[in-house]
Amino acid sequence: MQYNSFNTQPTFFQKIKNFDYVLIICILLLGLISALSMYSTDGGEILFHSKSHISKFLIFFIMMIFMSFFNIKFWYYFAYLFYIVVLFLLVWASLYGIKASGSQRWINLYFINLQPSELMKIAIIICLAKYFHRIQLNKVNSFQVIFIVLVILILPIMLVITQPDLGTSILIALSGLVVIWLAGINIKYFVYSFIVLLISMPFAIAFLQPYQKLRVLTFLNPDRDPLGAGYQIIQSKIAVGSGGLTGKGFLKGTQSYLEFLPEKHTDFIFTLFAEEHGFLGSIGLLLIYIIIIYRILRIGTISRSYFAKLFCYGYGSAIFFYVTVNMSMVLGLLPIVGSPLPIMSYGGSSMLATMIGFAIVMSAKINHKQLIA
């Protein structure tokens, strides 16, 4: 999609005025809630997880504000480079990365164990947004365009799958497919792909790691191994259900405090929160995410740049997928796939990627009147 250049460079004070303060308040609220939840996972003390999580949130939040001042053209010009660098980091992690729990996903940077697959969640959106920005609408469904798009999408997915990290690869695929669909790719290609996926499913299962097959079987019947593979999801559902309407109270979650709930500081942080704050608290948390997604989509709507529109729509949809998959997973509605809850879950790479995404969205808001040639 081509546009003529349109020079509307906002001044420093105009940039400050153009910030989406509702979005910033929601991010800070999530940060506060996550800090309290992490404090709860440490048994009501400021220990390793709470210290690390709070410090990373503050550092990455300040970084997000700083990066928001970058012109939207900056993100556009460096979109391909960002994608290539993250792709290289994925290869590096697969060859020389840190091994833990049977996976090789992290690069030791001393101050953080970087998980490049988390950054790819952002890189795939910004790369495809730039690519489709440069394509005329009447050429979107050409063979050349579809082939290049598939290469951009499949390369990182295959690298992440081999780490192995099936959950993150699915989220990367969903994020990329949303941008492809919004760019105007004919729906028949999605139908064909879905049919091929269904046909290949029995063959694909054969290539799953043993623990991944076990997760699928446990999802279908958690009670088949209640003290083994099914233990985590059973305890998670007990904790959420025991929270009732208003919850057991802050620092009073029995499932969490009596160590019945494994991994409560990472992917299962929502379980701890739901036990302590109940259905009403969970609805409140969900409402904050809904407002965040709405604000991101609204910024996409008011942006004059097609690149900014595609990124905001893609990132807003990605946040929806992250929240939906995580909450569905801990409620037993989806298999356990290792999907962190944005900002809430412990993890520096996830926090970093989320804040970079917010920075690009905020840059689009500040420069929403600007066109990109």
Side-chain angles (χ1 to χ4, degrees):
M1 177 69 73
Q2 300 287 342
Y3 290 108
N4 294 321
S5 60
F6 189 78
N7 295 319
T8 54
Q9 295 285 347
T11 64
F12 177 76
F13 292 105
Q14 285 175 328
K15 287 181 178 181
I16 293 177
K17 183 181 178 181
N18 286 343
F19 267 91
D20 190 321
Y21 289 99
V22 174
L23 181 57
I24 289 177
I25 290 170
C26 286
I27 294 171
L28 287 173
L29 276 175
L30 275 184
L32 176 61
I33 294 170
S34 69
L36 293 173
S37 298
M38 213 56 62
Y39 176 74
S40 182
T41 66
D42 280 340
E45 297 182 69
I46 303 291
L47 299 178
F48 175 77
H49 290 124
S50 47
K51 280 182 183 177
S52 178
H53 185 79
I54 293 169
S55 61
K56 284 172 183 173
F57 173 79
L58 292 174
I59 292 170
F60 293 149
F61 179 80
I62 293 170
M63 181 201 73
M64 183 269 290
I65 296 296
F66 174 76
M67 295 172 73
S68 298
F69 285 96
F70 295 175
N71 194 290
I72 191 63
K73 287 183 178 180
F74 170 87
W75 300 108
Y76 173 78
Y77 292 141
F78 288 96
Y80 289 160
L81 180 61
F82 183 34
Y83 172 84
I84 292 170
V85 168
V86 177
L87 201 63
F88 171 78
L89 291 175
L90 278 175
V91 175
W92 185 271
S94 297
L95 295 175
Y96 308 108
I98 299 171
K99 293 183 179 180
S101 302
S103 300
Q104 192 168 342
R105 310 173 187 171
W106 301 271
I107 300 173
N108 185 5
L109 299 181
Y110 297 102
F111 62 94
I112 186 176
N113 285 334
L114 183 67
Q115 187 178 348
S117 56
E118 289 292 333
L119 293 178
M120 184 51 72
K121 293 177 181 178
I122 305 299
I124 194 69
I125 298 173
I126 197 172
C127 180
L128 288 172
K130 175 173 181 175
Y131 181 72
F132 282 113
H133 176 92
R134 300 170 59 86
I135 301 297
Q136 298 291 341
L137 282 177
N138 61 348
K139 296 181 180 178
V140 165
N141 287 288
S142 67
F143 174 79
Q144 179 183 354
V145 169
I146 293 174
F147 177 78
I148 292 173
V149 165
L150 287 176
V151 171
I152 292 173
L153 185 61
I154 290 174
L155 270 178
I157 291 174
M158 295 306 297
L159 285 171
V160 174
I161 287 176
T162 58
Q163 290 182 344
D165 190 355
L166 183 61
T168 303
S169 66
I170 291 172
L171 292 173
I172 292 171
L174 290 173
S175 301
L177 288 172
V178 167
V179 179
I180 293 169
W181 177 67
L182 290 170
I185 294 290
N186 196 306
I187 196 169
K188 69 180 181 182
Y189 295 115
F190 290 93
V191 175
Y192 296 157
S193 300
F194 182 69
I195 293 172
V196 171
L197 180 65
L198 288 179
I199 294 173
S200 62
M201 194 72 74
F203 305 99
I205 291 175
F207 290 96
L208 290 178
Q209 296 291 323
Y211 79 92
Q212 293 170 337
K213 295 177 182 177
L214 192 58
R215 284 180 175 180
V216 174
L217 293 173
T218 302
F219 163 69
L220 297 174
N221 181 20
D223 295 322
R224 65 187 295 273
D225 188 10
L227 298 178
Y231 180 80
Q232 191 166 6
I233 190 60
I234 291 172
Q235 295 301 322
S236 176
K237 290 193 284 187
I238 291 173
V240 172
S242 65
L245 183 64
T246 58
K248 294 178 179 177
F250 183 53
L251 303 178
K252 296 180 181 178
T254 54
Q255 293 296 113
S256 307
Y257 272 77
L258 297 177
E259 300 297 333
F260 285 110
L261 186 64
E263 305 298 332
K264 56 181 178 288
H265 61 287
T266 54
D267 298 343
F268 282 77
I269 190 70
F270 176 70
T271 303
L272 176 140
F273 180 85
E275 183 184 20
E276 293 188 346
H277 304 285
F279 177 76
L280 294 180
S282 301
I283 291 296
L285 179 63
L286 193 58
L287 184 61
I288 294 175
Y289 280 115
I290 290 172
I291 294 172
I292 287 175
I293 293 169
Y294 168 74
R295 299 303 294 187
I296 294 173
L297 296 180
R298 182 179 176 276
I299 292 169
T301 301
I302 66 174
S303 296
R304 300 186 67 177
S305 158
Y306 188 58
F307 165 74
K309 283 182 181 293
L310 279 180
F311 181 84
C312 289
Y313 290 153
Y315 188 58
S317 301
I319 294 290
F320 170 79
F321 290 137
Y322 305 158
V323 175
T324 301
V325 169
N326 179 274
M327 292 188 176
S328 298
M329 178 184 73
V330 302
L331 293 173
L333 301 176
L334 286 176
I336 298 174
V337 292
S339 170
L341 190 59
I343 296 181
M344 288 288 292
S345 292
Y346 178 83
S349 299
S350 174
M351 183 80 75
L352 174 62
T354 302
M355 289 301 186
I356 291 174
F358 283 138
I360 300 172
V361 168
M362 204 66 72
S363 176
K365 172 62 170 63
I366 292 170
N367 302 279
H368 68 274
K369 293 182 179 180
Q370 194 168 66
L371 297 174
I372 300 176

